[in-house]
Amino acid sequence: MKRFIGIVIILLCIPILVIVQEAIAVELTTANTFNEQMTRSIELSTPSVNVPVAMKDRNGVIFAEEYVEWRTPLALDSIPTFVRQLFLESEDKSFFDHRGYDVAAIVRAFAVNTATDDLQQGASTITQQVVRMRFLSTEKTYERKLTELFYATELEKQTTKEAILEMYLNEMYFGNQVYGIGAAATYYFSKPIYELNEAQQAFIAAIPNNPSLYDPLVHFDQTKKRQERLLNILAKNGVITIEEAETYTSMPITLQLKKKVNNFPAYSTYVLSELSDLIAQSEGLADQIAEATDESDKLALEAQVQQRTAEVLATGLVIETALDPRKQQQDEQAVTALLKPEGLQAGAAVIDNETREIISLFAGKNYKKADFHRAFQAVRQPGSAIKPILVYAPYFESGPYTANSRVNSGSVCIGSYCPTNVGGYVYGTTTVKEAFRHSHNTAAVRLLQTVGIDKAFSFIEPFHFKSIVQQDHSYAAALGGFSKGMTPLELVGAYTGFIDGMYTPVRAIRTVKDSEGKLLYEWADQKIEIWSPTTISIMRSLLSDVVTNGTGRGIPYTTSYTGAKTGTTDYYKDLWVGGLNEHYTTAVWVGYDKPQPMKSLSDQKIHLQLFSALLRD
């Protein structure tokens, strides 16, 4: 009977055992899944932060900074021991002993919060604070606190105490959009952390506990009181002596706030635009965009370039440029002073002949960051300023022609296209030199006809005029008649070919490095020959003749050589000059953002005055 009852009991227990076993299996699976999710979450959720970008001029001096949040991440071993002790002693004395959380502190906080029915008493270790900054909200609930404990434990498993402390010191908020102890030192005292004395280090260490209450710009006295409390804690715990604490407390604190460097916004704005082009070319995206036949594919690739640029900028960069600050300032002042009429604007670029680098940019009168940039964004009709590039140089490349070759400057019609000379004048047969000197339109069209439209345009393909399209391949282009046109920066780039016949794209950026000095990007442009030595000799002579005898009279000779070509559009709505001397190549556009006639300004030769100012040393 007992045996029978035993068998029955065993049989009855089997389902219970199965149920229990299944429950255990489910719990184990859930626990393992949670553990995997926790591990993955910690590993993959490293926060994305924006580190400042610094731009340096050709002398290695920072002239512009780009940042929303001021951060200066530091390695732990570069943070003074005294600073580390300030936080360890005041925030988490047992940091190097616990596994992410402090049981005693949690019990103490729970007792206090239960008694007061209010979540006021904290018990967060440094590890928990890192978890909260990186992965969780600051909501004060027991559910969030429990999750925080799991995350803290997992973080301690995945990394070292030293790494966690480094995260903490670099990611704490110090008010005024400043993150990290290194950034706080430079922001509040304009010095690196290791140059601060103990009193200053303790002062900024007082801020993170409550960045609003201890904002030194608003509540300096409150910050000072907390600094004194921190020093007393160090003395009480035997880290420093009472006498040292008193000495540090009595030391004066004088803030020296860091000012955001934002000199020459016309140049820095362009540098950021060029950075996108550099990244696109370096990572193969530029070639993909050029080869894209579907417009949606092209737009997607362009969006990818912008995304990559944002990602690279967020890592923190040092961009070394060719900016000549003396020349930039001189040009800005000179051009601004000449733009007298209300609303009159200009766009210009100056290139160093030796290096082919952009050393100065004029974006517009009273230009401010993020305004319309007339040096590289203003696409306007170039008028006769295009003739040297599209007509005359290709003409000399196409046969045994010279400046004394004959050309008919009389009336001409090609199909329905019948251009006229300025003022409606009709000339007979002249030399090419004469036609160039006085900018005869009919002669330019005939020369383009001699060269052939497609062949002429093939010569300017290396210049990569972004707004020139297939429909611009017409005889009207000989006179600057394009569907859109070009920018001053594009035109000056093309004119650098007249320095010695060689061409390389003009650039502002020399190198792009990370915050530790590692090279990330630099241009890999190669010089190519555009014009033969014979063509260059003739073209330089013709450009010089324009200055001494033609439409460029009034431009002074400041070096052993000066050459230029002027350009105007219908009703004088755009005035241009492109040219060079021994040191610089420049192009300047003058006009109104909303085009209007400027005959009187043309008569006053304002464009020649601006061009002359830009060529000065």
Side-chain angles (χ1 to χ4, degrees):
M1 185 66 180
K2 290 182 179 179
R3 188 176 183 181
F4 175 75
I5 293 172
I7 293 172
V8 171
I9 291 173
I10 291 172
L11 291 174
L12 291 174
C13 287
I14 288 174
I16 297 174
L17 289 172
V18 171
I19 293 171
V20 171
Q21 186 179 24
E22 290 179 352
I24 292 173
V26 169
E27 289 301 320
L28 286 173
T29 301
T30 303
N32 289 333
T33 301
F34 178 77
N35 186 57
E36 291 174 3
Q37 290 176 341
M38 187 69 68
T39 301
R40 188 164 57 250
S41 177
I42 295 288
E43 287 178 342
L44 301 180
S45 300
T46 300
S48 174
V49 297
N50 292 315
V51 181
V53 173
M55 299 183 203
K56 293 184 177 181
D57 63 26
R58 58 174 45 204
N59 304 314
V61 178
I62 295 176
F63 70 90
E65 293 173 315
E66 296 289 330
Y67 60 86
V68 175
E69 302 169 349
W70 177 245
R71 296 177 184 263
T72 311
L74 300 175
L76 184 63
D77 58 9
S78 66
I79 299 174
T81 301
F82 184 78
V83 173
R84 291 182 247 172
Q85 291 172 318
L86 282 164
F87 289 99
L88 289 170
E89 295 295 327
S90 63
E91 295 291 329
D92 192 355
K93 283 185 65 176
S94 60
F95 173 71
F96 285 100
D97 299 320
H98 62 61
R99 297 182 179 180
Y101 55 88
D102 187 333
V103 175
I106 292 173
V107 171
R108 187 168 54 250
F110 180 80
V112 172
N113 292 334
T114 301
T116 61
D117 195 29
D118 188 17
L119 301 185
Q120 296 295 329
Q121 178 70 33
S124 295
T125 63
I126 283 177
T127 307
Q128 288 173 257
Q129 292 183 56
V130 170
V131 162
R132 194 181 307 139
M133 288 187 290
R134 286 192 161 212
F135 311 115
L136 303 175
S137 70
T138 56
E139 180 187 11
K140 290 187 176 182
T141 66
Y142 289 117
E143 291 79 8
R144 200 274 302 152
K145 200 72 176 177
L146 183 61
T147 305
E148 182 182 295
L149 296 179
F150 281 116
Y151 270 69
T153 303
E154 187 60 41
L155 185 59
E156 292 262 355
K157 290 178 183 178
Q158 292 188 25
T159 190
T160 64
K161 288 285 188 180
E162 288 74 16
I164 294 171
L165 183 57
E166 182 178 301
M167 295 176 203
Y168 177 70
L169 294 173
N170 280 318
E171 295 177 22
M172 282 185 299
Y173 184 50
F174 285 80
N176 299 295
Q177 295 304 110
V178 178
Y179 290 83
I181 190 72
T186 56
Y187 181 79
Y188 290 110
F189 291 106
S190 296
K191 292 180 180 179
I193 187 68
Y194 59 82
E195 289 187 12
L196 301 187
N197 60 42
E198 287 83 356
Q200 293 168 325
Q201 291 173 358
F203 186 83
I204 56 176
I207 301 171
N209 183 265
N210 189 328
S212 297
L213 178 61
Y214 301 124
D215 181 348
L217 306 187
V218 181
H219 305 294
F220 183 91
D221 291 342
Q222 293 282 8
T223 314
K224 185 68 174 67
K225 288 178 182 178
R226 177 158 173 80
Q227 174 229 35
E228 294 170 5
R229 289 198 295 273
L230 291 178
L231 291 171
N232 287 334
I233 289 173
L234 292 191
K236 179 181 177 181
N237 294 342
V239 176
I240 59 175
T241 66
I242 295 175
E243 290 74 20
E244 285 175 327
E246 291 174 349
T247 298
Y248 301 153
T249 298
S250 64
M251 294 173 71
I253 297 293
T254 303
L255 297 178
Q256 188 175 350
L257 294 181
K258 170 186 170 48
K259 293 183 180 179
K260 189 173 185 177
V261 181
N262 189 26
N263 300 324
F264 313 124
Y267 200 93
S268 63
T269 297
Y270 174 72
V271 167
L272 292 178
S273 175
E274 186 179 299
L275 177 63
S276 289
D277 295 338
L278 175 54
I279 291 172
Q281 180 169 307
S282 300
E283 300 187 2
L285 293 169
D287 290 338
Q288 293 180 48
I289 291 173
E291 295 168 1
T293 55
D294 185 86
E295 188 63 25
S296 61
D297 290 343
K298 184 177 181 181
L299 291 174
L301 288 166
E302 290 173 347
Q304 189 176 342
V305 171
Q306 295 307 311
Q307 180 180 345
R308 279 294 298 137
T309 302
E311 291 170 354
V312 172
L313 283 169
T315 64
L317 304 174
V318 176
I319 305 176
E320 298 176 342
T321 76
L323 170 68
D324 182 335
R326 179 198 61 79
K327 186 84 170 77
Q328 177 75 35
Q329 185 171 25
Q330 172 185 293
D331 292 347
E332 286 183 0
Q333 292 174 345
V335 174
T336 297
L338 289 168
L339 295 175
K340 297 289 187 182
E342 183 69 26
L344 185 65
Q345 284 290 359
V350 179
I351 309 302
D352 183 314
N353 287 353
E354 184 177 349
T355 64
R356 304 298 206 272
E357 294 174 319
I358 304 167
I359 61 171
S360 170
L361 287 166
F362 189 82
K365 188 175 182 179
N366 300 322
Y367 178 82
K368 293 181 177 61
K369 185 179 176 182
D371 284 353
F372 180 62
H373 199 298
R374 294 164 188 84
F376 79 97
Q377 292 177 326
V379 179
R380 304 295 286 256
Q381 301 282 357
S384 295
I386 196 65
K387 291 176 181 176
I389 301 162
L390 183 63
V391 177
Y392 285 88
Y395 172 73
F396 295 123
E397 288 287 322
S398 300
Y401 306 117
T402 70
N404 293 318
S405 296
R406 310 296 289 178
V407 60
N408 184 356
S409 289
S411 299
V412 62
C413 281
I414 303 176
S416 61
Y417 180 61
C418 301
T420 59
N421 295 311
V422 176
Y425 293 106
V426 177
Y427 307 97
T429 298
T430 66
T431 63
V432 169
K433 183 175 183 177
E434 251 187 299
F436 188 88
R437 176 192 298 163
H438 299 294
S439 202
H440 294 170
N441 289 338
T442 52
V445 171
R446 283 194 169 92
L447 292 178
L448 180 58
Q449 187 178 35
T450 299
V451 175
I453 291 175
D454 290 339
K455 184 176 181 181
F457 272 88
S458 72
F459 280 105
I460 68 170
E461 281 181 7
F463 302 136
H464 298 292
F465 290 107
K466 293 181 180 179
S467 298
I468 291 181
V469 295
Q470 185 60 41
Q471 69 187 69
D472 291 323
H473 289 216
S474 68
Y475 289 107
L479 313 182
F482 296 91
S483 55
K484 292 182 179 178
M486 57 199 58
T487 68
L489 186 56
E490 288 178 327
L491 188 64
V492 75
Y495 266 76
T496 61
F498 295 131
I499 297 171
D500 56 9
M502 306 299 291
Y503 172 74
T504 185
V506 295
R507 307 296 191 190
I509 296 175
R510 288 179 170 177
T511 64
V512 178
K513 300 177 180 178
D514 65 17
S515 56
E516 296 179 353
K518 178 184 177 182
L519 180 65
L520 300 178
Y521 302 98
E522 65 179 339
W523 290 107
D525 299 315
Q526 299 294 321
K527 278 190 176 183
I528 59 173
E529 183 176 1
I530 300 292
W531 313 118
S532 67
T534 299
T535 295
I536 285 300
S537 177
I538 298 172
M539 288 303 304
R540 286 176 66 89
S541 174
L542 293 182
L543 291 166
S544 178
D545 183 57
V546 167
V547 173
T548 54
N549 302 303
T551 57
R553 277 180 296 182
I555 297 173
Y557 260 74
T558 55
T559 66
S560 60
Y561 174 83
T562 301
K565 182 69 187 76
T566 60
T568 60
T569 58
D570 291 345
Y571 306 106
Y572 299 89
K573 290 182 179 179
D574 301 277
L575 303 177
W576 288 83
V577 189
L580 65 161
N581 64 12
E582 288 296 336
H583 301 148
Y584 307 123
T585 301
T586 188
V588 59
W589 162 85
V590 190
Y592 291 89
D593 291 334
K594 186 177 181 180
Q596 64 185 63
M598 298 183 295
K599 179 65 166 63
S600 61
L601 290 174
S602 177
D603 292 341
Q604 295 169 29
K605 299 185 176 181
I606 188 170
H607 50 317
L608 302 188
Q609 296 175 49
L610 294 174
F611 178 82
S612 301
L614 293 168
L615 282 185
R616 292 195 191 104
D617 272 324

